[in-house]
Amino acid sequence: MPLPSQFVTLAVDVQWGDMDALGHVNNTRYLRWFESARIALFARIGLASAAPITVGPILATTTCDFLRPVVFPARIEVGVRVTSIGETSVTMEYEVRDDAAKATLYARGSSVVVVIDYRTMQKVRVPDDVRAAIAAL
């Protein structure tokens, strides 16, 4: 199945409180931005729901490479895309760029989520409808 080459993106206004004592956005905010983008992706592919679910994702690992500091004020764009689908997992990559020209890459990262049955806490196959939704992005 071909994987999408386009990022699912969201714009984020950097808040004054996102910065730390060193005058740049604290490293923990990047992972929150990745999370927000991941949840937006999940909503588009049917892997997350506002209602209780029985089968869904659980974060297995995540990484972030910090390339340039972000400082207030700023509006950034966070993007996520699927890079591979395993039997029970989905691997994604992230980018944090400036929102205007998109020329500045502030950070990039990756994560792996495993699809589990929350009733049994066992891994399950990535559902076919999720696979199809990813392919349709």
Side-chain angles (χ1 to χ4, degrees), residues 75-95:
R75 184 171 177 85
I76 52 112
E77 182 179 87
V78 183
V80 60
R81 66 180 168 187
V82 174
T83 57
S84 68
I85 304 170
E87 182 65 19
T88 61
S89 64
V90 178
T91 303
M92 292 157 281
E93 71 176 347
Y94 305 88
E95 288 188 351

Side-chain angles (χ1 to χ4, degrees), residues 6 11 23 34 36 41 45 49 54 74 87 97-98 106 115 123:
Q6 298 297 316
F34 288 178
S36 294
L41 172 69
I45 64 172
S49 170
T54 57
E87 182 65 19
R97 294 186 174 272
D98 62 290
Y106 293 108
V115 180
K123 294 188 274 187

Side-chain angles (χ1 to χ4, degrees), residues 47-121:
L47 199 51
S49 170
I53 56 174
T54 57
V55 172
I58 189 164
L59 186 63
T61 187
T62 191
T63 67
C64 184
D65 296 324
F66 304 98
L67 306 173
R68 294 184 65 144
V70 177
V71 297
F72 177 88
R75 184 171 177 85
I76 52 112
E77 182 179 87
V78 183
V80 60
R81 66 180 168 187
V82 174
T83 57
S84 68
I85 304 170
E87 182 65 19
T88 61
S89 64
V90 178
T91 303
M92 292 157 281
E93 71 176 347
Y94 305 88
E95 288 188 351
V96 177
R97 294 186 174 272
D98 62 290
D99 188 47
K102 307 199 184 11
T104 304
L105 179 61
Y106 293 108
R108 64 177 168 243
S110 65
S111 68
V112 176
V113 296
V114 176
V115 180
I116 65 165
D117 181 327
Y118 285 102
R119 296 167 297 190
T120 64
M121 297 306 289

